[in-house]
Amino acid sequence: MSPRIVLLPGDGIGPEIIGPAVKVMNAVGAELDYEERLFGGASIDAYGTALTDETLDACRQADAVLLAAVGGPRWDTTDPDKPRPEQGLLGLRKGLGLFANLRPVKPIPALYDSSPLKRELIDRTNLLVVRELTGGIYFGEKTRTRDRASDDCVYTRSEIERIAQVAFRTARSRVTSVDKANVLETSRLWREVVREVHGREFPNIELEHLLVDNAAMKLIAAPRHFEVILTENMFGDILSDEAAMLTGSIGMLPSASLGDGQPGLFEPVHGSAPDIAGTGQANPLAMILSAAMMLRHGLGMETQAAAVESAVERALAAGLRTRDLGGTANTKQATQAVLKHL
Ligand code: IPM
Ligand code: MG
């Protein structure tokens, strides 16, 4: 039986970029069974909630979930009682227990000049953000009255241990743990537990601690310094967008969210880009590279994953540039270029 994949196109450019990813997987010979579901704003419009129980169940029973993007001005609200598309994403991450978010950042030489940073600065950068995804301020208790609001930030020892283990296991030589231990109590526990896991299980990997403000600066000043960045939920969210600019465009960055045996979730780091939705101009490369991560981490199809990644690189080397990269190629042309190099 072929592995079963739930496709969640979501909103905005989502439906325009998920088709290209499926085309590329077909072309690389990955035989998969797809089931498509409404998600995010599209699901709010149809069912009044961003993630229905049926969709969550379908995802639980699948071998992997491929998600494009959610959100848009249509559903933007500051009313705490109205549903938001992002709740679907958070519900899915939590519901599937996907605590480990992997965001590789490896600028492609053909795109060095698309980055706002100097070529010699980004040259040979190859880092991985390991972001804790189901804890911290994203999931703590929230309160709201007319004049006061709060978001609780909570981390437990076991939550920190398991994400630290993912980071150390993935690292070849160095893990940089990022926190705000000079201010936050959660960060002090974070630092203590990361240190313990390191000493007990991974003494041969170098461990350094950086405060998040300093890490944000160093990421731009000396990106090559980093190999694996281990950090909590919100710091990881912010640092991964920052790191995306090393590659020239956030339209290039894929991600994998993994749990402990549950089906993984694979999605681009970028959002639903409502400003260009419907124009056919979206860059599908992060989506296609997310499908490659699904083949590798979710389905154990390393050969096919590597073939897709190499086709993307060669298409770029041959001159493919979508609008976000300063070129004119539309979604269709970008997909064709990747297929041609497969
Ligand atoms: C991301 C996104 C999400 C996050 C939003 C859409 C909830 O920014 O995946 O980085 O903050 O985690
Ligand atoms: Mg983000």
Side-chain angles (χ1 to χ4, degrees):
M1 230 172 58
S2 309
R4 287 186 323 182
I5 310 301
V6 171
L7 294 178
L8 303 174
D11 311 314
I13 59 169
E16 298 166 48
I17 57 174
I18 208 158
V22 171
K23 262 194 196 142
V24 170
M25 287 189 289
N26 287 340
V28 82
E31 272 182 43
L32 308 172
D33 270 341
Y34 298 103
E35 174 189 345
E36 195 174 309
R37 298 255 168 178
L38 296 178
F39 186 64
S43 174
I44 292 177
D45 288 350
Y47 311 115
T49 170
L51 171 64
T52 63
D53 293 343
E54 290 74 32
T55 298
L56 180 56
D57 274 343
C59 293
R60 281 206 179 102
Q61 280 154 32
D63 292 292
V65 181
L66 191 64
L67 164 70
V70 294
R74 186 174 152 71
W75 305 280
D76 254 346
T77 169
T78 53
D79 182 345
D81 298 323
K82 290 250 169 68
R84 296 187 57 92
E86 293 80 7
Q87 289 164 343
L89 189 54
L90 301 182
L92 196 56
R93 290 171 178 171
K94 193 74 168 180
L96 294 176
L98 305 173
F99 63 88
N101 184 219
L102 312 183
R103 299 186 160 182
V105 180
K106 188 181 175 205
I108 296 172
L111 292 184
Y112 281 1
D113 293 326
S114 306
S115 171
L117 296 175
K118 289 197 198 80
R119 165 182 279 269
E120 57 270 29
L121 217 63
I122 51 179
D123 185 33
R124 284 173 291 116
T125 294
N126 183 4
L127 63 87
L128 176 72
V129 179
V130 176
R131 169 188 176 194
E132 201 291 325
L133 203 60
T134 51
I137 200 166
Y138 272 58
F139 291 97
E141 193 192 330
K142 298 179 188 300
T143 69
R144 168 88 175 262
T145 64
R146 204 182 78 90
D147 301 317
R148 188 177 182 280
S150 71
D151 299 274
D152 214 3
C153 182
V154 182
Y155 268 110
T156 63
R157 172 171 291 273
S158 62
E159 284 175 317
I160 303 167
E161 273 176 358
R162 63 185 185 180
I163 191 70
Q165 284 161 339
V166 171
F168 286 119
R169 253 186 255 130
T170 334
R172 271 165 289 115
S173 57
R174 181 194 295 151
V175 169
T176 305
S177 174
V178 173
D179 61 37
K180 188 73 183 173
N182 53 348
V183 177
L184 301 178
E185 210 49 59
T186 40
S187 281
R188 288 190 271 268
L189 179 66
W190 182 277
R191 203 174 266 221
E192 200 176 290
V193 174
V194 170
R195 214 174 257 152
E196 281 172 22
V197 171
H198 172 249
R200 190 174 65 220
E201 300 173 43
F202 305 93
N204 297 329
I205 304 279
E206 184 193 336
L207 169 65
E208 69 170 353
H209 303 277
L210 282 188
L211 296 173
V212 62
D213 47 349
N214 187 20
M217 186 173 72
K218 200 155 187 173
L219 198 50
I220 297 298
R224 256 193 311 274
H225 170 81
F226 296 98
E227 183 194 327
V228 171
I229 296 177
L230 161 64
T231 192
E232 63 97 60
N233 205 343
M234 182 141 89
F235 297 159
D237 177 46
I238 298 168
L239 291 179
S240 59
D241 269 33
E242 187 191 5
M245 288 322 288
L246 300 167
T247 65
S249 169
I250 196 165
M252 294 302 303
L253 236 62
S255 84
S257 303
L258 308 171
D260 226 351
Q262 295 88 335
L265 170 68
F266 303 85
E267 56 173 318
V269 171
H270 64 70
S272 60
D275 51 322
I276 58 163
T279 66
Q281 299 295 337
N283 177 354
L285 296 180
M287 183 78 243
I288 291 171
L289 291 170
S290 298
M293 285 193 92
M294 177 174 87
L295 295 175
R296 169 175 301 120
H297 296 283
L299 306 172
M301 302 167 92
E302 171 59 34
T303 318
Q304 288 90 335
V308 172
E309 287 165 352
S310 140
V312 168
E313 276 197 40
R314 279 177 293 119
L316 290 165
L320 166 65
R321 295 290 184 277
T322 41
R323 289 190 180 246
D324 53 311
L325 298 171
T328 58
N330 61 27
T331 311
K332 212 176 194 162
Q333 291 162 334
T335 311
Q336 284 309 325
V338 174
L339 290 171
K340 200 179 110 193
H341 286 91
L342 208 54

